[in-house]
Amino acid sequence: METHNEYRQMHHSQHMDLDPKLTEEAQNYAKELSIRGISLLRHSRGYKEKKYGENIYAICDRHVLPIDPVKNWYSKVCLYDFLAHAAKSKAVPVKEFTQVVWRGTEKLGVGRATSHLGKPCTYIVARYLPRHDPAVRRTNVDIGDFNKEICNDSRYVGFGARG
């Protein structure tokens, strides 16, 4: 929660509140993903029906700190064009970044589960209300105090996303 809100502040978005119902739903879906396994990783039906925003993170054979998934989602900032309000390349989705900093989002729920199907894997699910809407990025994703130099600083972005 704290990491989400630090990134949001950088982009002039208000802090989100942790929502118990979204947290319970995210926890249940993280458990479901852990049972399915990493090869069947996909967004939930509710996300596809546009009921809420959703970011998913999964990694195996590695200890996961609470900041890791958020850094991973936020790292797409380095692939985002603030003038066009779109990805720099159509081949690279940036919805994880835009959802983290989406100005209209007020509530967050986060779930975590671990499986040991073959190898230990951790699944993190974050759910957001209201969800991001690519049609109105211009009014909901602000460059704020973003400085592209952070794209080379592992304290802010993770796992190789460089702009």
Side-chain angles (χ1 to χ4, degrees):
M1 183 72 167
E2 184 178 322
T3 305
H4 266 94
N5 283 329
E6 286 174 12
Y7 287 131
R8 292 174 63 77
Q9 185 173 340
M10 190 183 311
H11 292 273
H12 301 167
S13 295
Q14 79 278 7
H15 284 202
M16 293 183 292
D17 293 320
L18 196 60
D19 183 83
K21 184 176 185 234
L22 279 176
T23 297
E24 181 182 351
E25 292 170 357
Q27 181 62 44
N28 289 341
Y29 195 60
K31 285 180 186 175
E32 184 179 324
L33 291 174
S34 73
I35 292 166
R36 283 189 200 166
I38 196 117
S39 64
L40 297 175
L41 190 68
R42 62 183 53 99
H43 282 288
S44 66
R45 176 177 291 152
Y47 171 78
K48 292 174 186 172
E49 294 172 352
K50 300 183 178 186
K51 293 180 179 178
Y52 43 76
E54 183 174 78
N55 282 343
I56 298 174
Y57 176 86
I59 195 161
C60 300
D61 294 330
R62 181 173 174 268
H63 177 72
V64 178
L65 299 173
I67 192 174
D68 291 341
V70 187
K71 280 176 65 173
N72 177 268
W73 300 326
Y74 182 78
S75 69
K76 308 307 188 293
V77 68
C78 301
L79 308 171
Y80 189 76
D81 181 339
F82 284 94
L83 294 175
H85 286 280
K88 291 178 182 177
S89 164
K90 292 195 186 304
V92 181
V94 293
K95 75 123 192 113
E96 292 92 350
F97 156 68
T98 59
Q99 184 62 78
V100 168
V101 302
W102 195 256
R103 182 174 290 145
T105 298
E106 299 171 353
K107 297 178 183 179
L108 171 69
V110 180
R112 175 187 180 124
T114 303
S115 73
H116 298 281
L117 301 171
K119 56 185 171 182
C121 296
T122 301
Y123 301 83
I124 309 289
V125 175
R127 291 208 172 149
Y128 307 83
L129 278 175
R131 66 175 273 137
H132 77 292
D133 179 355
V136 291
R137 279 187 185 144
R138 188 168 305 281
T139 58
N140 279 281
V141 179
D142 190 337
I143 192 167
D145 300 322
F146 171 70
N147 179 331
K148 68 180 181 176
E149 295 304 314
I150 73 166
C151 293
N152 297 314
D153 188 336
S154 63
R155 292 175 298 171
Y156 294 98
V157 297
F159 310 108
R162 302 291 185 253

